[in-house]
Amino acid sequence: MTVPKTSVLVLDCADPPSLARFYATLLGAEIGPAEGDADLLLVTGPSGIVLGIRRDPDRVPPSWPLPEGSEPSHLQILVTPETLDQAEREAVALGARPVAAEGDTFHTGSRTTRRRYADPAGHAFVLAALGVPAG
């Protein structure tokens, strides 16, 4: 018998409330405390996806750019193709910093269907127009 488990991607930062608000607003989610861990906030979205934001006052954001061909661990946020530009505007208005755009070999002439950013604490995330899973 397998032990029941829950997995949570946890982002470390010096100011968890601020970063949790960034992701909660971007994802249309809610913020709540993690039971038994005063340094961890949980961001829970409408589809039940949870992202943890943990206090680490000594965390240093990654440096950019990374070596050619490498990509850091990152959060990928899926949006429909027709909402990608709007999602990008929302992310930037909330404090995301565009890092790079990846070429789109599937849609010749298109700007791109994957857009890479750093959140306000420097973590990498991608807005990807791959469609949104039914939930």
Side-chain angles (χ1 to χ4, degrees), residues 1-133:
M1 180 170 155
T2 302
V3 175
K5 300 170 186 72
T6 299
S7 61
V8 177
L9 174 64
V10 176
L11 302 176
D12 292 337
C13 67
D15 184 10
S18 178
L19 190 60
R21 280 191 302 276
F22 169 83
Y23 279 108
T25 302
L26 182 63
L27 300 172
E30 296 187 14
I31 303 168
E35 190 175 323
D37 188 343
D39 288 330
L40 181 65
L41 294 174
L42 299 177
V43 178
T44 305
S47 62
I49 297 171
V50 175
L51 176 66
I53 309 293
R54 187 181 146 280
R55 182 176 312 283
D56 179 355
D58 299 322
R59 183 184 180 279
V60 177
S63 61
W64 298 91
L66 294 172
E68 184 70 29
S70 66
E71 185 169 27
S73 297
H74 64 277
L75 178 64
Q76 185 160 302
I77 300 170
L78 305 178
V79 298
T80 60
E82 61 273 6
T83 62
L84 180 59
D85 290 336
Q86 180 180 345
E88 177 178 47
R89 287 189 296 273
E90 290 174 358
V92 171
L94 290 168
R97 180 176 52 89
V99 176
E102 295 184 21
D104 179 1
T105 58
F106 298 105
H107 301 108
T108 306
S110 174
R111 186 168 144 231
T112 182
T113 58
R114 287 177 46 87
R115 300 177 190 171
R116 190 177 304 152
Y117 305 88
D119 69 21
H123 302 101
F125 74 94
V126 172
L127 290 174
L130 301 175
V132 179

